[in-house]
Amino acid sequence: MQFDLIVIGSGIAGLCTALAAAPRRVAVLTRQELAADGASRWAQGGIAAALGAGDSAAAHARDTMVAGNHLNDAAAVQALTAAAAAAVRWLAAQGVGFDSDEHGFRLGREAAHSQSRIVHAHGDATGAVVMRALGAVARAAGHIQIFEQHRATRLLSRDGRVYGVAAQGPQGPAAFTAQATVLASGGIGALYRYTTNPDTADASGLALALQAGAAVSDMEFVQFHPTALRTRDGRSGQLPLLTEALRGAGAVLVNSAGRRFLCAVAREAELAPRDVVARAVWQELERGESVYLDATRAVGEDFPQRFPTVFAACAAEGIDPRRQPIPVVPAQHYHMGGVRVDAGAATSLPGLYAVGEAACSGVHGANRLASNSLLEGLVFGRALGARLAQLPRTVLPAAAAIPDAGGEVGSGIAGAVRDLLWRHAGLVRDAAGLAAAQRELQALAQSAANQAERDRLCVAAEIVAAATRRGASIGAHYRCDAVQVRAG
Ligand code: SIN
């Protein structure tokens, strides 16, 4: 099937790219049903934008750089923050009902923001509300064709140029060709024991890019959210998120003695940068303590109205957060690294682009500022789609035989990768642990049964190798055997 543009992934980055590419013909490939796929719809915390009186894009950019330990690409940060307010208004025009007050958008506060600048929709259901609206607009758009239940299995390339993708669909294998192929396939949460991401955030886009020879960068920068709900059954995989907005509203982290341990760790206590808070929670747990998020005073009776998604998740665990502290564990949340892209979202391979969490534009540096991720997909996706709409049409090679689907990752390899990355390439790392992880990955590679398993191991090995190379601690990459660097 021939299109002008192929978008792999249907989260906010993918759909914004596809929508902005009109009138070019776009194929959107999504692993599940459109409404069910991607991590965007799970986002609770909202979208950061300098919309308030006294706020500015420059202040938002400054906060983004500070959170990223100044390893950010300053031009990308400038582009992101300057476009944020208009992008939020565009979303509102697409039918997203943001929460409002007498001043317009109701602006919330989250960790490491110097201002209240976070817009939410239906309290903590921002991602779900945004994706419902974008999904409806994309379905109605005449230039977009959505292929549900389609898993991209291999990039098609000739003479170093990507001209499409092979996919496995409900009717079997299929080849899609286009002038431009966009990876908007999300993150890597499924490679960690605990994550806030859905199962499909399994680094599949990164694996496709690596297989085709694209450059990746910042792979060691993996963000952990301090507060996922620790479930009664102690299960691993995707855990319910307890949004940072709860701490923004005054909820505090306490140990089993009821002591607020963050006051001794950072001046900003619970509103310190996410890596600092997540590590403090981890260290408390490592000491054998339990950790709880206590919103009983700060939110109390308003909990169901203000945080309906979290309230429902707590209720499913038999917890009433109006009256009880909520047990927490840190969980993998976001990957700052990814397929390296330039200011135009182009990867190192002609014909291949990347956007959203799958990409590494450098915008987040060593640690992403809260509520900059939906924003990134929104702003950079729209910009990319608009640019690709201008691409001249070229003659494409005909797809040769469709490559083999690559198999599935078995539970043995998947579980082993989750455990070893959690232990050795998680919140706290050291040389000995990383070396052990490398050895374990090499041993696992001997037993890999198919391409999908080799791909999974290859992405894990890239993370471990990057974490090994960066000997100093910075941002989300914390080496307990090294000094901490605070750049800028
Ligand atoms: C949250 O709601 O805590 C997550 C916000 C984010 O990751 O940006």
Side-chain angles (χ1 to χ4, degrees):
M1 282 171 274
Q2 195 164 328
F3 289 85
D4 294 317
L5 177 62
I6 300 159
V7 177
I8 302 169
S10 61
I12 190 167
L15 291 190
C16 286
T17 305
L19 286 166
R24 292 306 181 89
R25 290 183 57 239
V26 183
V28 173
L29 273 52
T30 180
R31 301 256 293 267
Q32 302 174 326
E33 309 275 300
L34 183 63
D37 211 1
S40 302
R41 76 186 183 92
W42 293 96
Q44 295 179 5
I47 303 178
L51 289 155
D55 199 2
S56 66
H60 183 186
R62 221 164 24 245
D63 293 344
T64 301
M65 299 287 295
V66 170
N69 280 253
H70 293 267
L71 280 198
N72 321 56
D73 179 308
V77 172
Q78 212 270 333
L80 181 77
T81 52
V88 167
R89 291 195 185 96
W90 176 81
L91 267 186
Q94 307 311 303
V96 176
F98 287 110
D99 300 339
S100 58
D101 58 21
E102 66 278 17
H103 305 296
F105 293 108
R106 181 184 302 148
L107 299 175
R109 185 80 180 264
E110 283 177 3
H113 283 274
S114 59
Q115 304 273 337
S116 295
R117 64 163 72 95
I118 320 297
V119 293
H120 289 94
H122 195 46
D124 57 4
T126 312
V129 173
V130 166
M131 292 316 297
R132 220 172 7 253
L134 287 179
V137 179
R139 276 203 193 281
H143 70 289
I144 298 177
Q145 201 171 334
I146 297 164
F147 293 86
E148 294 175 311
Q149 315 286 357
H150 275 71
R151 179 170 64 90
T153 55
R154 190 84 63 92
L155 293 172
L156 304 174
S157 64
R158 181 165 302 168
D159 303 328
R161 182 169 218 297
V162 173
Y163 66 94
V165 66
Q168 189 69 23
Q171 264 83 54
F176 296 79
T177 61
Q179 259 88 32
T181 301
V182 178
L183 292 172
S185 43
I188 62 164
L191 274 61
Y192 279 84
R193 184 185 294 167
Y194 302 117
T195 178
T196 61
N197 296 182
D199 294 347
T200 49
D202 60 0
S204 55
L206 257 170
L208 290 176
L210 282 167
Q211 215 182 66
V216 296
S217 54
D218 291 1
M219 293 289 285
E220 67 275 36
F221 292 130
V222 180
Q223 183 171 81
F224 295 85
H225 198 287
T227 57
L229 175 61
R230 182 160 53 81
T231 58
R232 275 179 300 198
D233 60 4
R235 68 171 180 267
S236 57
Q238 185 181 16
L239 296 180
L241 177 67
L242 307 175
T243 177
E244 194 140 324
L246 279 158
R247 279 175 285 128
V252 292
L253 282 160
V254 296
N255 59 21
S256 14
R259 190 173 64 82
R260 275 182 72 190
F261 52 93
L262 267 149
C263 298
V265 174
R267 185 172 41 84
E268 310 94 320
E270 282 83 1
L271 292 180
R274 197 171 272 181
D275 62 306
V276 174
V277 180
R279 237 177 355 259
V281 172
W282 161 271
Q283 276 154 356
E284 210 64 18
L285 293 174
E286 287 288 287
R287 267 197 285 276
E289 282 288 346
S290 295
V291 178
Y292 302 87
L293 183 67
D294 187 348
T296 53
R297 277 200 206 151
V299 183
E301 292 304 315
D302 294 341
F303 210 114
Q305 293 78 45
R306 288 179 68 186
F307 299 99
T309 309
V310 176
F311 190 75
C314 289
E317 285 292 314
I319 299 161
D320 181 350
R322 292 171 295 191
R323 300 188 181 89
Q324 286 170 281
I326 314 163
V328 300
V329 67
Q332 192 284 346
H333 185 57
Y334 189 85
H335 193 203
M336 279 71 75
V339 185
R340 192 171 76 211
V341 293
D342 64 15
T347 71
S348 60
L349 298 180
L352 182 66
Y353 300 79
V355 69
E357 192 173 352
C360 178
S361 64
V363 74
H364 303 303
N367 198 13
R368 178 177 63 80
L369 182 66
S371 288
N372 269 355
S373 58
L374 288 178
L375 179 66
E376 174 194 16
L378 168 65
V379 168
F380 292 166
R382 292 183 69 214
L384 175 60
R387 267 193 310 277
L388 294 180
Q390 308 301 321
L391 271 190
R393 290 202 168 93
T394 52
V395 179
L396 296 169
I402 301 174
D404 176 70
E408 301 279 337
V409 180
S411 57
I413 294 267
V417 167
R418 276 202 300 267
D419 284 344
L420 76 89
L421 287 188
W422 183 256
R423 266 184 294 124
H424 299 308
L427 291 99
V428 175
R429 302 151 178 197
D430 63 22
L434 290 164
Q438 224 153 28
R439 284 194 300 276
E440 285 178 47
L441 286 168
Q442 275 156 8
L444 287 168
Q446 305 302 314
S447 60
N450 56 39
Q451 189 59 41
E453 294 194 343
R454 283 189 287 279
D455 285 348
R456 179 73 55 100
L457 294 168
C458 172
V459 174
E462 289 283 339
I463 295 169
V464 170
T468 305
R469 281 193 300 271
R470 195 178 286 280
S473 297
I474 185 159
H477 172 67
Y478 184 80
R479 297 268 308 239
C480 62
D481 56 350
V483 289
Q484 176 124 24
V485 178
R486 267 202 99 80

